[in-house]
């Protein structure tokens, strides 16, 4: 079945973890007294970039800024659909300056950038499926931002409520496999949101809590290859049974800040 899955070349924006650290706590994963191995983080991040390029994807980089240790999590910077950029307004004051640097990169690359009026954390909570936007709320991005994104993109936005603080962003609890399907952890969502996802994606690849806690849902798929955390072994096996090809990439050092593969990856859709 894997031969029927089609890889689509992607363009990703990333930020080197030159200044990565855990200096504050804004999610349950973060403990400032836990040391970060910066050299290991660099090595793991380079492994991700090599994996992307080795599978035929384009990778652009934004220059990291001193004093912004979470700037490596490029996914939170914006959502890009059909060349239109919906920027970010972070919930935590510590992260708000990141938006300026990413906005500058997009503008230098020739894009106009919409600055949201409400708290919105980019692809962390707004996930483009090819038909509509799945939008998380409950911990970071607000419902007002969902409405704002719908007005901006002109595509339906489906609000989903997150209920477990370990899965504070939608991209820690769900990822898009291809134009037709997703993978997600049901218990990360409210009862109504679970019911909505079950109706939208009756054949979704479901993850266990162990999968989710291993950051298995903070994955990136090109339609065939799924770049996934190595410890999410059960989820990788289920994806393999569905014809996808898991590509394990270890970003365990970034999990100390509550991030993983997708967090480090902004997708630019022209």
């Amino acid at each position: 079945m894997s031969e029927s899955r089609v890889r689509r070349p992607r363009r990703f924006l990333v930020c080197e973890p030159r200044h990565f650290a855990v200096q504050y706590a804004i999610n349950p994963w973060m403990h400032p007294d836990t040391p970060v191995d910066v050299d290991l983080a660099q090595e793991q991040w380079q492994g991700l970039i090599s994996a992307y390029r080795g599978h035929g994807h384009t990778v652009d980089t934004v220059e990291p800024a001193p004093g912004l240790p979470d700037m490596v999590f490029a996914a939170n910077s914006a959502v890009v659909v059909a060349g239109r950029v919906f920027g970010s307004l972070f919930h935590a004051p510590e992260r708000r300056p990141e938006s300026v640097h990413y906005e500058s990169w997009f503008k230098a690359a020739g894009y106009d950038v919409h600055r949201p009026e409400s708290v919105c954390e980019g692809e962390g909570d707004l996930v483009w499926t090819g038909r509509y936007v799945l939008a998380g709320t409950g911990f970071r991005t607000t419902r007002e931002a969902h409405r704002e994104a719908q007005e901006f993109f002109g595509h339906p936005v489906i609000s989903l409520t997150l209920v477990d603080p370990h899965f504070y962003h939608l991209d820690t609890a769900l990822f898009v496999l291809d134009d037709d399907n997703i993978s997600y952890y049901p218990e990360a969502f409210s009862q109504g949101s679970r019911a909505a996802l079950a109706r939208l994606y009756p054949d979704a690849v479901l993850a266990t809590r162990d999968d989710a806690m291993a950051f298995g849902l903070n994955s990136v798929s090109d339609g065939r290859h799924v770049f996934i955390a190595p410890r999410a072994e059960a989820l990788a096996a289920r994806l393999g049974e569905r014809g996808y090809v898991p590509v394990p990439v270890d970003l365990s050092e970034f999990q100390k800040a509550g991030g993983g593969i997708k967090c480090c990856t902004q997708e630019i859709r022209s």
Side-chain angles (χ1 to χ4, degrees):
M1 182 185 292
S2 62
E3 294 304 320
S4 66
R5 301 294 181 189
V6 178
R7 178 193 71 88
R8 293 185 179 177
R10 311 290 191 185
R11 183 185 179 194
F12 299 131
L13 179 64
V14 299
C15 181
E16 179 193 350
R18 192 181 308 160
H19 308 293
F20 176 61
V22 179
Q23 298 177 345
Y24 43 77
I26 57 173
N27 66 57
W29 302 93
M30 302 180 82
H31 302 283
D33 57 344
T34 300
V36 169
D37 187 331
V38 177
D39 291 337
L40 178 57
Q42 283 275 3
E43 180 182 332
Q44 291 180 343
W45 183 83
Q46 289 292 347
L48 176 64
I49 305 313
S50 295
Y52 285 153
R53 288 177 171 154
H55 286 81
H57 304 301
T58 300
V59 180
D60 294 312
T61 59
V62 61
E63 182 70 13
L68 297 177
D70 283 342
M71 194 172 164
V72 64
F73 299 128
N76 305 151
S77 67
V79 181
V80 186
V81 177
R84 305 196 73 202
V85 182
F86 189 89
S88 61
L89 175 60
F90 287 93
H91 179 268
E94 295 91 339
R95 296 199 66 185
R96 289 193 171 183
E98 295 176 31
S99 300
V100 176
H101 298 279
Y102 280 100
E103 181 175 328
S104 295
W105 186 93
F106 278 111
K107 287 183 175 179
Y111 295 90
D112 292 326
V113 180
H114 173 81
R115 292 183 179 180
E117 297 178 1
S118 305
V119 169
C120 181
E121 301 204 348
E123 285 189 326
D125 277 323
L126 300 181
V127 178
W128 174 244
T129 68
R131 290 175 289 176
Y132 39 75
V133 176
L134 298 178
T137 192
F139 299 102
R140 299 292 182 82
T141 300
T142 65
R143 288 186 181 273
E144 289 76 12
H146 296 182
R147 291 191 284 270
E148 195 176 344
Q150 181 166 278
E151 290 302 311
F152 178 73
F153 287 122
H155 291 290
V157 173
I158 298 169
S159 293
L160 302 168
T161 301
L162 297 160
V163 296
D164 186 328
H166 284 93
F167 311 112
Y168 58 94
H169 273 156
L170 185 61
D171 72 359
T172 64
L174 175 155
F175 73 98
V176 173
L177 284 163
D178 50 39
D179 288 345
D180 300 313
N181 211 0
I182 65 170
S183 178
Y184 69 101
Y185 170 51
E187 284 71 24
F189 298 91
S190 67
Q191 183 175 353
S193 296
R194 290 199 301 270
L197 286 170
R199 288 187 174 91
L200 288 169
Y201 297 101
D203 297 320
V205 180
L206 301 183
T208 65
R209 184 173 182 82
D210 286 344
D211 293 325
M213 292 293 286
F215 282 75
L217 292 163
N218 198 242
S219 296
V220 171
S221 172
D222 64 16
R224 174 177 169 81
H225 307 100
V226 178
F227 302 89
I228 188 171
R231 290 193 300 114
E233 295 179 357
L235 178 57
R238 285 190 290 277
L239 291 168
E241 292 168 359
R242 296 289 195 96
Y244 299 96
V245 180
V247 179
V249 181
D250 184 10
L251 289 192
S252 54
E253 204 62 20
F254 296 94
Q255 293 175 19
K256 295 176 180 178
I261 293 170
K262 176 56 191 171
C263 288
C264 290
T265 310
Q266 163 70 232
E267 183 171 351
I268 300 176
R269 302 170 183 86
S270 299

